[in-house]
PDB file of all heavy atoms in Angstrom:
ATOM      1  N   LEU A1181       0.836  -1.210   0.000  1.00  0.00           N
ATOM      2  CA  LEU A1181       0.000   0.000   0.000  1.00  0.00           C
ATOM      3  C   LEU A1181       0.865   1.253   0.000  1.00  0.00           C
ATOM      4  O   LEU A1181       0.609   2.205  -0.736  1.00  0.00           O
ATOM      5  CB  LEU A1181      -0.920   0.030   1.226  1.00  0.00           C
ATOM      6  CG  LEU A1181      -2.209  -0.742   1.165  1.00  0.00           C
ATOM      7  CD1 LEU A1181      -2.927  -0.666   2.510  1.00  0.00           C
ATOM      8  CD2 LEU A1181      -3.110  -0.226   0.064  1.00  0.00           C
ATOM      9  N   ASN A1182       1.876   1.254   0.866  1.00  0.00           N
ATOM     10  CA  ASN A1182       2.776   2.405   0.953  1.00  0.00           C
ATOM     11  C   ASN A1182       3.420   2.681  -0.400  1.00  0.00           C
ATOM     12  O   ASN A1182       3.383   3.810  -0.899  1.00  0.00           O
ATOM     13  CB  ASN A1182       3.850   2.151   2.007  1.00  0.00           C
ATOM     14  CG  ASN A1182       4.767   3.340   2.186  1.00  0.00           C
ATOM     15  OD1 ASN A1182       4.494   4.224   2.991  1.00  0.00           O
ATOM     16  ND2 ASN A1182       5.856   3.394   1.429  1.00  0.00           N
ATOM     17  N   ASN A1183       4.024   1.681  -0.994  1.00  0.00           N
ATOM     18  CA  ASN A1183       4.798   1.891  -2.216  1.00  0.00           C
ATOM     19  C   ASN A1183       3.919   2.206  -3.415  1.00  0.00           C
ATOM     20  O   ASN A1183       4.381   2.854  -4.359  1.00  0.00           O
ATOM     21  CB  ASN A1183       5.729   0.717  -2.453  1.00  0.00           C
ATOM     22  CG  ASN A1183       6.854   0.684  -1.432  1.00  0.00           C
ATOM     23  OD1 ASN A1183       7.068   1.650  -0.693  1.00  0.00           O
ATOM     24  ND2 ASN A1183       7.567  -0.412  -1.366  1.00  0.00           N
ATOM     25  N   ALA A1184       2.654   1.829  -3.364  1.00  0.00           N
ATOM     26  CA  ALA A1184       1.717   2.212  -4.422  1.00  0.00           C
ATOM     27  C   ALA A1184       1.318   3.682  -4.307  1.00  0.00           C
ATOM     28  O   ALA A1184       0.810   4.266  -5.270  1.00  0.00           O
ATOM     29  CB  ALA A1184       0.472   1.326  -4.373  1.00  0.00           C
ATOM     30  N   ALA A1185       1.571   4.293  -3.140  1.00  0.00           N
ATOM     31  CA  ALA A1185       1.178   5.686  -2.899  1.00  0.00           C
ATOM     32  C   ALA A1185       2.296   6.692  -3.179  1.00  0.00           C
ATOM     33  O   ALA A1185       2.112   7.894  -2.979  1.00  0.00           O
ATOM     34  CB  ALA A1185       0.683   5.850  -1.469  1.00  0.00           C
ATOM     35  N   VAL A1186       3.461   6.233  -3.630  1.00  0.00           N
ATOM     36  CA  VAL A1186       4.558   7.135  -4.005  1.00  0.00           C
ATOM     37  C   VAL A1186       4.067   7.986  -5.179  1.00  0.00           C
ATOM     38  O   VAL A1186       3.406   7.452  -6.072  1.00  0.00           O
ATOM     39  CB  VAL A1186       5.812   6.297  -4.388  1.00  0.00           C
ATOM     40  CG1 VAL A1186       6.903   7.182  -4.970  1.00  0.00           C
ATOM     41  CG2 VAL A1186       6.314   5.512  -3.185  1.00  0.00           C
ATOM     42  N   PRO A1187       4.252   9.307  -5.233  1.00  0.00           N
ATOM     43  CA  PRO A1187       5.200  10.130  -4.495  1.00  0.00           C
ATOM     44  C   PRO A1187       4.618  10.816  -3.260  1.00  0.00           C
ATOM     45  O   PRO A1187       5.285  11.634  -2.654  1.00  0.00           O
ATOM     46  CB  PRO A1187       5.591  11.188  -5.522  1.00  0.00           C
ATOM     47  CG  PRO A1187       4.325  11.453  -6.257  1.00  0.00           C
ATOM     48  CD  PRO A1187       3.665  10.078  -6.353  1.00  0.00           C
ATOM     49  N   HIS A1188       3.375  10.488  -2.877  1.00  0.00           N
ATOM     50  CA  HIS A1188       2.775  11.157  -1.722  1.00  0.00           C
ATOM     51  C   HIS A1188       3.382  10.686  -0.406  1.00  0.00           C
ATOM     52  O   HIS A1188       3.300  11.385   0.607  1.00  0.00           O
ATOM     53  CB  HIS A1188       1.268  10.986  -1.744  1.00  0.00           C
ATOM     54  CG  HIS A1188       0.660  11.511  -3.007  1.00  0.00           C
ATOM     55  ND1 HIS A1188       0.821  12.821  -3.429  1.00  0.00           N
ATOM     56  CD2 HIS A1188      -0.059  10.909  -3.971  1.00  0.00           C
ATOM     57  CE1 HIS A1188       0.211  12.993  -4.585  1.00  0.00           C
ATOM     58  NE2 HIS A1188      -0.337  11.845  -4.934  1.00  0.00           N
ATOM     59  N   VAL A1189       3.981   9.503  -0.418  1.00  0.00           N
ATOM     60  CA  VAL A1189       4.822   9.017   0.676  1.00  0.00           C
ATOM     61  C   VAL A1189       6.100   8.499   0.027  1.00  0.00           C
ATOM     62  O   VAL A1189       6.125   8.263  -1.178  1.00  0.00           O
ATOM     63  CB  VAL A1189       4.137   7.897   1.504  1.00  0.00           C
ATOM     64  CG1 VAL A1189       2.914   8.412   2.224  1.00  0.00           C
ATOM     65  CG2 VAL A1189       3.790   6.697   0.630  1.00  0.00           C
ATOM     66  N   ASN A1190       7.144   8.321   0.832  1.00  0.00           N
ATOM     67  CA  ASN A1190       8.390   7.845   0.238  1.00  0.00           C
ATOM     68  C   ASN A1190       8.397   6.317   0.111  1.00  0.00           C
ATOM     69  O   ASN A1190       7.748   5.613   0.878  1.00  0.00           O
ATOM     70  CB  ASN A1190       9.607   8.346   1.016  1.00  0.00           C
ATOM     71  CG  ASN A1190       9.635   7.864   2.449  1.00  0.00           C
ATOM     72  OD1 ASN A1190       8.624   7.898   3.146  1.00  0.00           O
ATOM     73  ND2 ASN A1190      10.779   7.423   2.900  1.00  0.00           N
ATOM     74  N   LEU A1191       9.126   5.851  -0.878  1.00  0.00           N
ATOM     75  CA  LEU A1191       9.287   4.432  -1.147  1.00  0.00           C
ATOM     76  C   LEU A1191      10.038   3.780   0.010  1.00  0.00           C
ATOM     77  O   LEU A1191      11.011   4.341   0.510  1.00  0.00           O
ATOM     78  CB  LEU A1191      10.083   4.254  -2.450  1.00  0.00           C
ATOM     79  CG  LEU A1191      10.216   2.835  -2.985  1.00  0.00           C
ATOM     80  CD1 LEU A1191       8.871   2.349  -3.509  1.00  0.00           C
ATOM     81  CD2 LEU A1191      11.249   2.813  -4.109  1.00  0.00           C
ATOM     82  N   LEU A1192       9.580   2.617   0.439  1.00  0.00           N
ATOM     83  CA  LEU A1192      10.209   1.900   1.544  1.00  0.00           C
ATOM     84  C   LEU A1192      10.581   0.487   1.142  1.00  0.00           C
ATOM     85  O   LEU A1192       9.924  -0.116   0.294  1.00  0.00           O
ATOM     86  CB  LEU A1192       9.238   1.801   2.740  1.00  0.00           C
ATOM     87  CG  LEU A1192       8.788   3.078   3.415  1.00  0.00           C
ATOM     88  CD1 LEU A1192       7.739   2.762   4.473  1.00  0.00           C
ATOM     89  CD2 LEU A1192       9.970   3.811   4.033  1.00  0.00           C
ATOM     90  N   SER A1193      11.587  -0.044   1.803  1.00  0.00           N
ATOM     91  CA  SER A1193      11.889  -1.470   1.744  1.00  0.00           C
ATOM     92  C   SER A1193      11.220  -2.113   2.960  1.00  0.00           C
ATOM     93  O   SER A1193      10.783  -1.408   3.887  1.00  0.00           O
ATOM     94  CB  SER A1193      13.395  -1.698   1.801  1.00  0.00           C
ATOM     95  OG  SER A1193      13.885  -1.345   3.086  1.00  0.00           O
ATOM     96  N   LEU A1194      11.177  -3.421   2.992  1.00  0.00           N
ATOM     97  CA  LEU A1194      10.621  -4.104   4.151  1.00  0.00           C
ATOM     98  C   LEU A1194      11.448  -3.787   5.395  1.00  0.00           C
ATOM     99  O   LEU A1194      10.890  -3.597   6.486  1.00  0.00           O
ATOM    100  CB  LEU A1194      10.536  -5.618   3.916  1.00  0.00           C
ATOM    101  CG  LEU A1194       9.850  -6.413   5.018  1.00  0.00           C
ATOM    102  CD1 LEU A1194       8.435  -5.896   5.291  1.00  0.00           C
ATOM    103  CD2 LEU A1194       9.816  -7.892   4.646  1.00  0.00           C
ATOM    104  N   ALA A1195      12.763  -3.677   5.249  1.00  0.00           N
ATOM    105  CA  ALA A1195      13.623  -3.320   6.385  1.00  0.00           C
ATOM    106  C   ALA A1195      13.291  -1.912   6.896  1.00  0.00           C
ATOM    107  O   ALA A1195      13.223  -1.686   8.106  1.00  0.00           O
ATOM    108  CB  ALA A1195      15.093  -3.414   5.997  1.00  0.00           C
ATOM    109  N   ASP A1196      13.064  -0.961   5.975  1.00  0.00           N
ATOM    110  CA  ASP A1196      12.681   0.402   6.372  1.00  0.00           C
ATOM    111  C   ASP A1196      11.363   0.376   7.155  1.00  0.00           C
ATOM    112  O   ASP A1196      11.230   1.016   8.189  1.00  0.00           O
ATOM    113  CB  ASP A1196      12.473   1.305   5.149  1.00  0.00           C
ATOM    114  CG  ASP A1196      13.720   1.553   4.344  1.00  0.00           C
ATOM    115  OD1 ASP A1196      14.830   1.538   4.910  1.00  0.00           O
ATOM    116  OD2 ASP A1196      13.567   1.771   3.115  1.00  0.00           O
ATOM    117  N   LEU A1197      10.388  -0.345   6.615  1.00  0.00           N
ATOM    118  CA  LEU A1197       9.076  -0.412   7.256  1.00  0.00           C
ATOM    119  C   LEU A1197       9.170  -1.071   8.631  1.00  0.00           C
ATOM    120  O   LEU A1197       8.524  -0.619   9.580  1.00  0.00           O
ATOM    121  CB  LEU A1197       8.088  -1.164   6.369  1.00  0.00           C
ATOM    122  CG  LEU A1197       6.663  -1.264   6.910  1.00  0.00           C
ATOM    123  CD1 LEU A1197       6.045   0.118   7.128  1.00  0.00           C
ATOM    124  CD2 LEU A1197       5.800  -2.088   5.965  1.00  0.00           C
ATOM    125  N   THR A1198       9.989  -2.072   8.755  1.00  0.00           N
ATOM    126  CA  THR A1198      10.167  -2.736  10.049  1.00  0.00           C
ATOM    127  C   THR A1198      10.764  -1.767  11.069  1.00  0.00           C
ATOM    128  O   THR A1198      10.315  -1.717  12.221  1.00  0.00           O
ATOM    129  CB  THR A1198      11.054  -3.990   9.889  1.00  0.00           C
ATOM    130  OG1 THR A1198      10.402  -4.874   8.965  1.00  0.00           O
ATOM    131  CG2 THR A1198      11.262  -4.693  11.205  1.00  0.00           C
ATOM    132  N   ARG A1199      11.740  -0.954  10.650  1.00  0.00           N
ATOM    133  CA  ARG A1199      12.326   0.053  11.553  1.00  0.00           C
ATOM    134  C   ARG A1199      11.271   1.083  11.962  1.00  0.00           C
ATOM    135  O   ARG A1199      11.211   1.486  13.125  1.00  0.00           O
ATOM    136  CB  ARG A1199      13.516   0.744  10.899  1.00  0.00           C
ATOM    137  CG  ARG A1199      14.813  -0.024  11.027  1.00  0.00           C
ATOM    138  CD  ARG A1199      16.021   0.799  10.613  1.00  0.00           C
ATOM    139  NE  ARG A1199      15.999   1.204   9.211  1.00  0.00           N
ATOM    140  CZ  ARG A1199      16.321   0.420   8.192  1.00  0.00           C
ATOM    141  NH1 ARG A1199      16.698  -0.827   8.412  1.00  0.00           N
ATOM    142  NH2 ARG A1199      16.294   0.856   6.959  1.00  0.00           N
ATOM    143  N   ILE A1200      10.453   1.507  11.016  1.00  0.00           N
ATOM    144  CA  ILE A1200       9.374   2.450  11.339  1.00  0.00           C
ATOM    145  C   ILE A1200       8.438   1.822  12.363  1.00  0.00           C
ATOM    146  O   ILE A1200       8.099   2.437  13.381  1.00  0.00           O
ATOM    147  CB  ILE A1200       8.620   2.881  10.062  1.00  0.00           C
ATOM    148  CG1 ILE A1200       9.496   3.833   9.242  1.00  0.00           C
ATOM    149  CG2 ILE A1200       7.277   3.528  10.400  1.00  0.00           C
ATOM    150  CD1 ILE A1200       8.949   4.158   7.866  1.00  0.00           C
ATOM    151  N   ALA A1201       8.023   0.587  12.112  1.00  0.00           N
ATOM    152  CA  ALA A1201       7.097  -0.103  13.011  1.00  0.00           C
ATOM    153  C   ALA A1201       7.654  -0.195  14.426  1.00  0.00           C
ATOM    154  O   ALA A1201       6.907  -0.034  15.404  1.00  0.00           O
ATOM    155  CB  ALA A1201       6.791  -1.496  12.472  1.00  0.00           C
ATOM    156  N   GLU A1202       8.948  -0.425  14.547  1.00  0.00           N
ATOM    157  CA  GLU A1202       9.570  -0.568  15.862  1.00  0.00           C
ATOM    158  C   GLU A1202       9.645   0.750  16.625  1.00  0.00           C
ATOM    159  O   GLU A1202       9.694   0.751  17.852  1.00  0.00           O
ATOM    160  CB  GLU A1202      10.963  -1.171  15.713  1.00  0.00           C
ATOM    161  CG  GLU A1202      10.932  -2.617  15.267  1.00  0.00           C
ATOM    162  CD  GLU A1202      12.283  -3.162  14.839  1.00  0.00           C
ATOM    163  OE1 GLU A1202      13.265  -2.374  14.744  1.00  0.00           O
ATOM    164  OE2 GLU A1202      12.359  -4.368  14.573  1.00  0.00           O
ATOM    165  N   GLY A1203       9.647   1.892  15.914  1.00  0.00           N
ATOM    166  CA  GLY A1203       9.811   3.175  16.578  1.00  0.00           C
ATOM    167  C   GLY A1203       8.540   3.969  16.795  1.00  0.00           C
ATOM    168  O   GLY A1203       8.562   4.990  17.479  1.00  0.00           O
ATOM    169  N   THR A1204       7.437   3.523  16.231  1.00  0.00           N
ATOM    170  CA  THR A1204       6.208   4.311  16.307  1.00  0.00           C
ATOM    171  C   THR A1204       5.552   4.234  17.679  1.00  0.00           C
ATOM    172  O   THR A1204       5.681   3.245  18.405  1.00  0.00           O
ATOM    173  CB  THR A1204       5.175   3.843  15.259  1.00  0.00           C
ATOM    174  OG1 THR A1204       4.873   2.469  15.495  1.00  0.00           O
ATOM    175  CG2 THR A1204       5.647   4.080  13.848  1.00  0.00           C
ATOM    176  N   ALA A1205       4.817   5.278  17.999  1.00  0.00           N
ATOM    177  CA  ALA A1205       3.951   5.290  19.171  1.00  0.00           C
ATOM    178  C   ALA A1205       2.552   4.821  18.785  1.00  0.00           C
ATOM    179  O   ALA A1205       1.760   4.435  19.647  1.00  0.00           O
ATOM    180  CB  ALA A1205       3.877   6.702  19.748  1.00  0.00           C
ATOM    181  N   TYR A1206       2.263   4.867  17.495  1.00  0.00           N
ATOM    182  CA  TYR A1206       0.954   4.480  16.963  1.00  0.00           C
ATOM    183  C   TYR A1206       1.190   3.901  15.576  1.00  0.00           C
ATOM    184  O   TYR A1206       1.755   4.563  14.712  1.00  0.00           O
ATOM    185  CB  TYR A1206       0.055   5.721  16.876  1.00  0.00           C
ATOM    186  CG  TYR A1206      -1.330   5.475  16.327  1.00  0.00           C
ATOM    187  CD1 TYR A1206      -2.423   5.373  17.184  1.00  0.00           C
ATOM    188  CD2 TYR A1206      -1.549   5.367  14.956  1.00  0.00           C
ATOM    189  CE1 TYR A1206      -3.707   5.160  16.681  1.00  0.00           C
ATOM    190  CE2 TYR A1206      -2.830   5.151  14.455  1.00  0.00           C
ATOM    191  CZ  TYR A1206      -3.899   5.053  15.324  1.00  0.00           C
ATOM    192  OH  TYR A1206      -5.171   4.847  14.824  1.00  0.00           O
ATOM    193  N   PHE A1207       0.763   2.660  15.372  1.00  0.00           N
ATOM    194  CA  PHE A1207       0.872   2.009  14.067  1.00  0.00           C
ATOM    195  C   PHE A1207      -0.332   1.087  13.948  1.00  0.00           C
ATOM    196  O   PHE A1207      -0.316  -0.043  14.427  1.00  0.00           O
ATOM    197  CB  PHE A1207       2.191   1.239  13.966  1.00  0.00           C
ATOM    198  CG  PHE A1207       2.590   0.822  12.574  1.00  0.00           C
ATOM    199  CD1 PHE A1207       2.284   1.594  11.463  1.00  0.00           C
ATOM    200  CD2 PHE A1207       3.312  -0.332  12.379  1.00  0.00           C
ATOM    201  CE1 PHE A1207       2.676   1.218  10.188  1.00  0.00           C
ATOM    202  CE2 PHE A1207       3.716  -0.729  11.111  1.00  0.00           C
ATOM    203  CZ  PHE A1207       3.395   0.053  10.013  1.00  0.00           C
ATOM    204  N   ARG A1208      -1.392   1.633  13.356  1.00  0.00           N
ATOM    205  CA  ARG A1208      -2.663   0.918  13.328  1.00  0.00           C
ATOM    206  C   ARG A1208      -3.220   0.884  11.913  1.00  0.00           C
ATOM    207  O   ARG A1208      -2.865   1.688  11.066  1.00  0.00           O
ATOM    208  CB  ARG A1208      -3.660   1.581  14.273  1.00  0.00           C
ATOM    209  CG  ARG A1208      -3.101   1.626  15.714  1.00  0.00           C
ATOM    210  CD  ARG A1208      -4.127   1.867  16.752  1.00  0.00           C
ATOM    211  NE  ARG A1208      -4.829   0.610  16.988  1.00  0.00           N
ATOM    212  CZ  ARG A1208      -6.000   0.521  17.601  1.00  0.00           C
ATOM    213  NH1 ARG A1208      -6.598   1.605  18.049  1.00  0.00           N
ATOM    214  NH2 ARG A1208      -6.574  -0.649  17.786  1.00  0.00           N
ATOM    215  N   ALA A1209      -4.142  -0.061  11.708  1.00  0.00           N
ATOM    216  CA  ALA A1209      -4.747  -0.265  10.395  1.00  0.00           C
ATOM    217  C   ALA A1209      -6.262  -0.243  10.500  1.00  0.00           C
ATOM    218  O   ALA A1209      -6.836  -0.628  11.527  1.00  0.00           O
ATOM    219  CB  ALA A1209      -4.307  -1.606   9.820  1.00  0.00           C
ATOM    220  N   ALA A1210      -6.879   0.176   9.422  1.00  0.00           N
ATOM    221  CA  ALA A1210      -8.326   0.042   9.256  1.00  0.00           C
ATOM    222  C   ALA A1210      -8.538  -1.226   8.445  1.00  0.00           C
ATOM    223  O   ALA A1210      -7.953  -1.374   7.366  1.00  0.00           O
ATOM    224  CB  ALA A1210      -8.897   1.252   8.527  1.00  0.00           C
ATOM    225  N   VAL A1211      -9.340  -2.132   8.969  1.00  0.00           N
ATOM    226  CA  VAL A1211      -9.554  -3.411   8.297  1.00  0.00           C
ATOM    227  C   VAL A1211     -11.050  -3.736   8.251  1.00  0.00           C
ATOM    228  O   VAL A1211     -11.825  -3.286   9.086  1.00  0.00           O
ATOM    229  CB  VAL A1211      -8.799  -4.559   8.998  1.00  0.00           C
ATOM    230  CG1 VAL A1211      -7.304  -4.350   8.951  1.00  0.00           C
ATOM    231  CG2 VAL A1211      -9.261  -4.731  10.426  1.00  0.00           C
ATOM    232  N   THR A1212     -11.406  -4.520   7.272  1.00  0.00           N
ATOM    233  CA  THR A1212     -12.743  -5.075   7.171  1.00  0.00           C
ATOM    234  C   THR A1212     -12.631  -6.428   6.489  1.00  0.00           C
ATOM    235  O   THR A1212     -11.864  -6.583   5.538  1.00  0.00           O
ATOM    236  CB  THR A1212     -13.701  -4.143   6.413  1.00  0.00           C
ATOM    237  OG1 THR A1212     -15.008  -4.699   6.457  1.00  0.00           O
ATOM    238  CG2 THR A1212     -13.296  -3.932   4.977  1.00  0.00           C
ATOM    239  N   ASP A1213     -13.351  -7.402   6.980  1.00  0.00           N
ATOM    240  CA  ASP A1213     -13.346  -8.734   6.370  1.00  0.00           C
ATOM    241  C   ASP A1213     -11.936  -9.199   6.025  1.00  0.00           C
ATOM    242  O   ASP A1213     -11.678  -9.700   4.935  1.00  0.00           O
ATOM    243  CB  ASP A1213     -14.217  -8.751   5.113  1.00  0.00           C
ATOM    244  CG  ASP A1213     -15.657  -8.391   5.403  1.00  0.00           C
ATOM    245  OD1 ASP A1213     -16.128  -8.713   6.514  1.00  0.00           O
ATOM    246  OD2 ASP A1213     -16.292  -7.796   4.531  1.00  0.00           O
ATOM    247  N   ARG A1214     -11.004  -8.978   6.935  1.00  0.00           N
ATOM    248  CA  ARG A1214      -9.599  -9.391   6.764  1.00  0.00           C
ATOM    249  C   ARG A1214      -8.853  -8.620   5.670  1.00  0.00           C
ATOM    250  O   ARG A1214      -7.767  -8.995   5.271  1.00  0.00           O
ATOM    251  CB  ARG A1214      -9.494 -10.882   6.525  1.00  0.00           C
ATOM    252  CG  ARG A1214     -10.020 -11.713   7.663  1.00  0.00           C
ATOM    253  CD  ARG A1214      -9.862 -13.175   7.336  1.00  0.00           C
ATOM    254  NE  ARG A1214     -10.536 -13.972   8.333  1.00  0.00           N
ATOM    255  CZ  ARG A1214      -9.918 -14.723   9.227  1.00  0.00           C
ATOM    256  NH1 ARG A1214      -8.606 -14.754   9.262  1.00  0.00           N
ATOM    257  NH2 ARG A1214     -10.594 -15.430  10.080  1.00  0.00           N
ATOM    258  N   THR A1215      -9.464  -7.563   5.164  1.00  0.00           N
ATOM    259  CA  THR A1215      -8.815  -6.736   4.154  1.00  0.00           C
ATOM    260  C   THR A1215      -8.290  -5.477   4.815  1.00  0.00           C
ATOM    261  O   THR A1215      -9.038  -4.770   5.486  1.00  0.00           O
ATOM    262  CB  THR A1215      -9.801  -6.366   3.027  1.00  0.00           C
ATOM    263  OG1 THR A1215     -10.297  -7.568   2.443  1.00  0.00           O
ATOM    264  CG2 THR A1215      -9.129  -5.512   1.973  1.00  0.00           C
ATOM    265  N   LEU A1216      -7.013  -5.209   4.633  1.00  0.00           N
ATOM    266  CA  LEU A1216      -6.411  -4.008   5.183  1.00  0.00           C
ATOM    267  C   LEU A1216      -6.702  -2.861   4.216  1.00  0.00           C
ATOM    268  O   LEU A1216      -6.277  -2.890   3.067  1.00  0.00           O
ATOM    269  CB  LEU A1216      -4.906  -4.226   5.354  1.00  0.00           C
ATOM    270  CG  LEU A1216      -4.211  -3.250   6.281  1.00  0.00           C
ATOM    271  CD1 LEU A1216      -3.121  -3.966   7.070  1.00  0.00           C
ATOM    272  CD2 LEU A1216      -3.640  -2.094   5.518  1.00  0.00           C
ATOM    273  N   LEU A1217      -7.473  -1.864   4.692  1.00  0.00           N
ATOM    274  CA  LEU A1217      -7.927  -0.760   3.847  1.00  0.00           C
ATOM    275  C   LEU A1217      -7.031   0.466   3.934  1.00  0.00           C
ATOM    276  O   LEU A1217      -7.061   1.316   3.048  1.00  0.00           O
ATOM    277  CB  LEU A1217      -9.353  -0.369   4.231  1.00  0.00           C
ATOM    278  CG  LEU A1217     -10.399  -1.462   4.129  1.00  0.00           C
ATOM    279  CD1 LEU A1217     -11.724  -0.967   4.673  1.00  0.00           C
ATOM    280  CD2 LEU A1217     -10.533  -1.937   2.691  1.00  0.00           C
ATOM    281  N   GLY A1218      -6.271   0.573   5.001  1.00  0.00           N
ATOM    282  CA  GLY A1218      -5.397   1.729   5.180  1.00  0.00           C
ATOM    283  C   GLY A1218      -4.642   1.608   6.479  1.00  0.00           C
ATOM    284  O   GLY A1218      -4.949   0.755   7.317  1.00  0.00           O
ATOM    285  N   PHE A1219      -3.640   2.472   6.642  1.00  0.00           N
ATOM    286  CA  PHE A1219      -2.849   2.451   7.870  1.00  0.00           C
ATOM    287  C   PHE A1219      -2.339   3.847   8.184  1.00  0.00           C
ATOM    288  O   PHE A1219      -2.308   4.723   7.324  1.00  0.00           O
ATOM    289  CB  PHE A1219      -1.671   1.470   7.751  1.00  0.00           C
ATOM    290  CG  PHE A1219      -0.592   1.907   6.813  1.00  0.00           C
ATOM    291  CD1 PHE A1219       0.498   2.635   7.273  1.00  0.00           C
ATOM    292  CD2 PHE A1219      -0.661   1.611   5.457  1.00  0.00           C
ATOM    293  CE1 PHE A1219       1.494   3.049   6.400  1.00  0.00           C
ATOM    294  CE2 PHE A1219       0.333   2.014   4.583  1.00  0.00           C
ATOM    295  CZ  PHE A1219       1.412   2.738   5.056  1.00  0.00           C
ATOM    296  N   LEU A1220      -1.948   4.023   9.439  1.00  0.00           N
ATOM    297  CA  LEU A1220      -1.380   5.283   9.909  1.00  0.00           C
ATOM    298  C   LEU A1220      -0.233   4.953  10.850  1.00  0.00           C
ATOM    299  O   LEU A1220      -0.387   4.113  11.738  1.00  0.00           O
ATOM    300  CB  LEU A1220      -2.452   6.105  10.635  1.00  0.00           C
ATOM    301  CG  LEU A1220      -2.091   7.549  10.970  1.00  0.00           C
ATOM    302  CD1 LEU A1220      -3.357   8.390  11.056  1.00  0.00           C
ATOM    303  CD2 LEU A1220      -1.310   7.679  12.249  1.00  0.00           C
ATOM    304  N   ALA A1221       0.903   5.620  10.655  1.00  0.00           N
ATOM    305  CA  ALA A1221       2.081   5.477  11.510  1.00  0.00           C
ATOM    306  C   ALA A1221       2.424   6.844  12.087  1.00  0.00           C
ATOM    307  O   ALA A1221       2.486   7.830  11.348  1.00  0.00           O
ATOM    308  CB  ALA A1221       3.260   4.934  10.709  1.00  0.00           C
ATOM    309  N   ALA A1222       2.654   6.896  13.409  1.00  0.00           N
ATOM    310  CA  ALA A1222       2.939   8.176  14.061  1.00  0.00           C
ATOM    311  C   ALA A1222       3.990   8.000  15.153  1.00  0.00           C
ATOM    312  O   ALA A1222       4.076   6.951  15.792  1.00  0.00           O
ATOM    313  CB  ALA A1222       1.652   8.756  14.648  1.00  0.00           C
ATOM    314  N   PHE A1223       4.767   9.067  15.358  1.00  0.00           N
ATOM    315  CA  PHE A1223       5.871   9.087  16.318  1.00  0.00           C
ATOM    316  C   PHE A1223       5.666  10.179  17.362  1.00  0.00           C
ATOM    317  O   PHE A1223       5.164  11.264  17.048  1.00  0.00           O
ATOM    318  CB  PHE A1223       7.186   9.394  15.604  1.00  0.00           C
ATOM    319  CG  PHE A1223       7.647   8.319  14.668  1.00  0.00           C
ATOM    320  CD1 PHE A1223       7.237   8.297  13.351  1.00  0.00           C
ATOM    321  CD2 PHE A1223       8.509   7.326  15.115  1.00  0.00           C
ATOM    322  CE1 PHE A1223       7.675   7.312  12.479  1.00  0.00           C
ATOM    323  CE2 PHE A1223       8.958   6.334  14.254  1.00  0.00           C
ATOM    324  CZ  PHE A1223       8.531   6.325  12.935  1.00  0.00           C
ATOM    325  N   LEU A1224       6.137   9.919  18.562  1.00  0.00           N
ATOM    326  CA  LEU A1224       6.211  10.921  19.618  1.00  0.00           C
ATOM    327  C   LEU A1224       7.602  11.561  19.603  1.00  0.00           C
ATOM    328  O   LEU A1224       8.536  10.996  19.019  1.00  0.00           O
ATOM    329  CB  LEU A1224       5.950  10.279  20.979  1.00  0.00           C
ATOM    330  CG  LEU A1224       4.516   9.806  21.216  1.00  0.00           C
ATOM    331  CD1 LEU A1224       4.426   8.980  22.494  1.00  0.00           C
ATOM    332  CD2 LEU A1224       3.551  10.985  21.265  1.00  0.00           C
ATOM    333  N   PRO A1225       7.770  12.715  20.257  1.00  0.00           N
ATOM    334  CA  PRO A1225       9.099  13.322  20.349  1.00  0.00           C
ATOM    335  C   PRO A1225      10.093  12.363  21.005  1.00  0.00           C
ATOM    336  O   PRO A1225       9.728  11.549  21.853  1.00  0.00           O
ATOM    337  CB  PRO A1225       8.871  14.548  21.237  1.00  0.00           C
ATOM    338  CG  PRO A1225       7.433  14.862  21.082  1.00  0.00           C
ATOM    339  CD  PRO A1225       6.744  13.539  20.894  1.00  0.00           C
TER     340      PRO A1225
END
């Protein structure tokens, strides 16, 4: 999903995304019927 949204977000590798996931204060998804419809990643200071 992220990489399909370039250039509105930057291109990531799986390693990049894993590092982001490990550092976020909020990393959640909107899902329905087991389908991931969107996500949001956020950091604290």
Side-chain angles (χ1 to χ4, degrees):
L1181 277 176
N1182 183 89
N1183 290 348
V1186 172
H1188 303 303
V1189 295
N1190 61 315
L1191 187 70
L1192 297 175
S1193 68
L1194 185 56
D1196 295 331
L1197 182 60
T1198 300
R1199 277 191 297 281
I1200 287 171
E1202 291 168 352
T1204 59
Y1206 179 101
F1207 195 33
R1208 302 197 78 197
V1211 297
T1212 185
D1213 300 328
R1214 299 180 188 250
T1215 302
L1216 198 143
L1217 301 174
F1219 70 92
L1220 191 153
F1223 293 88
L1224 291 171

